[in-house]
Amino acid sequence: MSKASLDEILSEEDFQALAASRGARFGRLSHTLLARELWTRRHFYQLIVEADVFESFLDDHGASHNQRYRSLRELVASVRGLSRAGFAVRHLESRLDTYGISAVCEGDEEARFAQAVVDARGFLEQSLRGLLSAVLEESAAGDFELPSELFADEEYTADQARRRLPRNLDGEIQEDEEHYIATVATRYLEVSELFSSFQLGDTDSPLMSERLMSEFCTEESARVYEASVHNLQSVYDTYIKNTTLEDSDERLPRLRGHVSVAFHLLEAFTELIHFVERHERSRSLDASSRIPKAVDRSRVVQVARENLLAWAARMIVLGRPYAEALVPTYTNQSELFVEVPPELTLHARPVALIVKIVNHHGTATTCEVGGSECNAGSILEMMVTVGSHPELSTYCFSGDARTLEDIRRLFAAGLGETGTDSFPPELGYL
């Protein structure tokens, strides 16, 4: 006996009444924002909320697979994405003075950056106005009208203040605070290498701009950039923010400021790249799509690259001196010479354990043998360096004393060749 389908086919006429009702708040907000000259952060945020609700309703009713309402669904989805970008940029604009980037900006760089942020926000507002107008037109073409009454002030979703317990440890420095600072600074240097690995250069030619976008600015790479900086910010906020050491070392909040600026720029950058790849580019093949008419694709690409990604990379590079200075301040740099016993070899398994120790502590550690030096936190570099000198048994590790002490323990325990039972308790994480 076959089971009855749980899906009920809804006529387009019945859908129209539902859409007019469920999209009412989105419609009223759209009319309100179209009448405003300047949007604040709360306007962008509310547009995210209402677009998300309306898009979910359209998805739940299969609008993306309906010829009549497919374009409406894509317009609303585009509004949601560009609203996220707008919120990130508007948030950054409102807090720019608190991030402390002026201390390292060169010449008129701070003013040029501030203008780039203002221009990006202005472009996003203009694009969203075009999309909102297109949504209203598309809904009317679908035989339902979204209400035009204004959105009341009390209807906006209020920002929730963060609530936390009072700090009352009387200036006590908690265990491992210095270690986490060194770890964050080391990760910052690694992230800065990620951004210095590509050169955007001058791209007056539209063809050159498209080539650079395809090579460096795909949605996949955009999410890698954003996640790398977001993870850095999360680690900082978890282990360093609101600590005694943060209060006593001005380099720490300044480093955090550079991370935050880059993160907000990359949030917006990712949304614009997503718009190009998942919405505007595919919809441009649809002659009935209103998206290409509402948003200038070439300007999306230009703003994403010049106003967002390029400045995010620059802000990370400008913060690098702070990280470089923090690493030696909060680590006890030392050297460790170890020798592999004659009956053992430094093959893949013990090398993997060394790499795990280095990555566990999170601070930069190098390994030198026979004049060749490598990153001891990279199994590939370690295997190449060790394999290049099979006749040598003496190795020199350089880095934080805490990392080196665990490497010494590993060698003292026979590199784990007789099993992990021989490891001391300090190496329990292996």
Side-chain angles (χ1 to χ4, degrees):
M1 181 177 178
S2 61
K3 294 183 178 180
S5 173
L6 296 178
D7 290 335
E8 176 186 350
I9 301 301
L10 186 68
S11 70
E12 291 183 350
E13 289 72 21
D14 289 339
F15 172 79
Q16 291 158 10
L18 285 175
S21 174
R22 294 297 296 273
R25 285 174 60 89
F26 181 89
R28 291 192 294 109
L29 181 62
S30 297
H31 284 287
T32 302
L33 295 182
L34 287 171
R36 287 190 62 90
E37 290 188 7
L38 181 66
W39 298 1
T40 66
R41 191 176 67 169
R42 77 166 183 169
H43 295 119
F44 282 108
Y45 182 75
Q46 196 65 45
L47 193 52
I48 296 171
V49 172
E50 303 306 336
D52 187 59
V53 170
F54 196 25
E55 182 189 359
S56 296
F57 162 78
L58 294 170
D59 283 343
D60 289 344
H61 289 77
S64 59
H65 301 288
N66 180 273
Q67 185 175 11
R68 191 173 189 179
Y69 295 106
R70 177 172 175 267
S71 294
L72 175 64
R73 187 268 176 194
E74 294 304 325
L75 282 167
V76 175
S78 296
V79 168
R80 179 179 56 81
L82 293 194
S83 296
R84 289 180 181 274
F87 177 80
V89 173
R90 193 68 180 88
H91 176 75
L92 172 61
E93 185 182 9
S94 66
R95 301 194 62 183
L96 203 52
D97 292 340
T98 69
Y99 289 131
I101 62 170
S102 58
V104 290
C105 286
E106 302 174 357
D108 65 344
E109 194 168 40
E110 183 181 11
R112 289 191 291 111
F113 171 57
Q115 188 60 51
V117 173
V118 170
D119 290 345
R121 188 256 302 155
F123 167 72
L124 289 166
E125 275 190 24
Q126 178 188 12
S127 298
L128 283 165
R129 290 178 193 278
L131 288 172
L132 292 178
S133 296
V135 169
L136 297 177
E137 293 171 6
E138 191 69 32
S139 61
D143 289 331
F144 70 90
E145 294 280 351
L146 293 177
S148 58
E149 293 84 4
L150 297 184
F151 208 80
D153 285 345
E154 59 269 18
E155 292 184 88
Y156 286 94
T157 304
D159 290 340
Q160 294 293 323
R162 289 185 299 175
R163 304 172 67 187
R164 57 182 174 86
L165 291 168
R167 294 167 54 191
N168 54 12
L169 292 177
D170 299 324
E172 178 184 354
I173 296 178
Q174 298 301 292
E175 183 180 2
D176 285 339
E177 279 183 14
E178 293 186 352
H179 168 68
Y180 286 122
I181 291 173
T183 298
V184 167
T186 300
R187 291 190 184 182
Y188 189 102
L189 295 175
E190 293 171 353
V191 169
S192 69
E193 289 299 318
L194 172 67
F195 284 97
S196 64
S197 63
F198 56 83
Q199 298 294 326
L200 294 178
D202 297 325
T203 54
D204 294 332
S205 164
L207 182 62
M208 178 64 73
S209 179
E210 286 294 329
R211 186 183 69 80
L212 289 171
M213 289 295 292
S214 64
E215 289 184 13
F216 302 114
C217 305
T218 64
E219 183 174 354
E220 181 180 3
S221 62
R223 296 197 182 280
V224 170
Y225 301 149
E226 181 186 348
S228 298
V229 177
H230 187 212
N231 290 341
L232 189 60
Q233 179 174 281
S234 296
V235 174
Y236 183 101
D237 289 351
T238 299
Y239 298 108
I240 302 175
K241 193 173 180 62
N242 297 322
T243 62
T244 302
L245 283 175
E246 186 188 42
D247 286 342
S248 62
D249 192 334
E250 65 178 10
R251 296 172 298 181
L252 292 170
R254 288 182 177 179
L255 184 75
R256 171 60 162 75
H258 283 267
V259 173
S260 296
V261 169
F263 174 56
H264 294 314
L265 291 170
L266 291 170
E267 281 185 299
F269 172 72
T270 301
E271 292 295 346
L272 291 191
I273 298 304
H274 174 79
F275 174 80
V276 170
E277 290 194 5
R278 300 288 297 275
H279 292 300
E280 201 282 333
R281 181 176 294 172
S282 61
R283 298 307 161 241
S284 65
L285 302 176
D286 182 359
S288 65
S289 174
R290 298 175 187 267
I291 294 178
K293 299 175 183 177
V295 183
D296 183 348
R297 182 186 185 281
S298 63
R299 279 287 289 151
V300 173
V301 172
Q302 182 183 20
V303 169
R305 178 174 47 78
E306 296 179 7
N307 297 63
L308 302 176
L309 178 61
W311 279 108
R314 180 59 179 161
M315 287 299 130
I316 289 293
V317 170
L318 286 175
R320 185 181 174 98
Y322 294 128
E324 291 173 335
L326 287 167
V327 170
T329 301
Y330 292 99
T331 57
N332 180 11
Q333 296 293 303
S334 184
E335 288 186 341
L336 169 70
F337 289 88
V338 290
E339 187 162 348
V340 180
E343 68 275 12
L344 300 177
T345 59
L346 206 56
H347 56 87
R349 192 157 65 86
V351 165
L353 292 174
I354 294 173
V355 171
K356 191 171 184 179
I357 289 173
V358 174
N359 290 328
H360 171 77
H361 286 279
T363 52
T365 306
T366 61
C367 174
E368 188 272 331
V369 56
S372 299
E373 186 176 274
C374 71
N375 172 16
S378 166
I379 191 160
L380 178 60
E381 291 188 32
M382 281 289 291
M383 290 301 297
V384 170
T385 302
V386 170
S388 299
H389 302 279
E391 75 284 0
L392 300 180
S393 59
T394 301
Y395 297 83
C396 175
F397 291 90
S398 302
D400 183 39
R402 286 165 290 199
T403 306
L404 301 189
E405 179 59 20
D406 277 0
I407 293 176
R408 185 198 64 76
R409 291 183 176 117
L410 177 66
F411 274 81
L415 295 169
E417 294 294 72
T418 59
T420 58
D421 291 341
S422 61
F423 287 173
E426 293 86 352
L427 297 182
Y429 60 87
L430 294 178

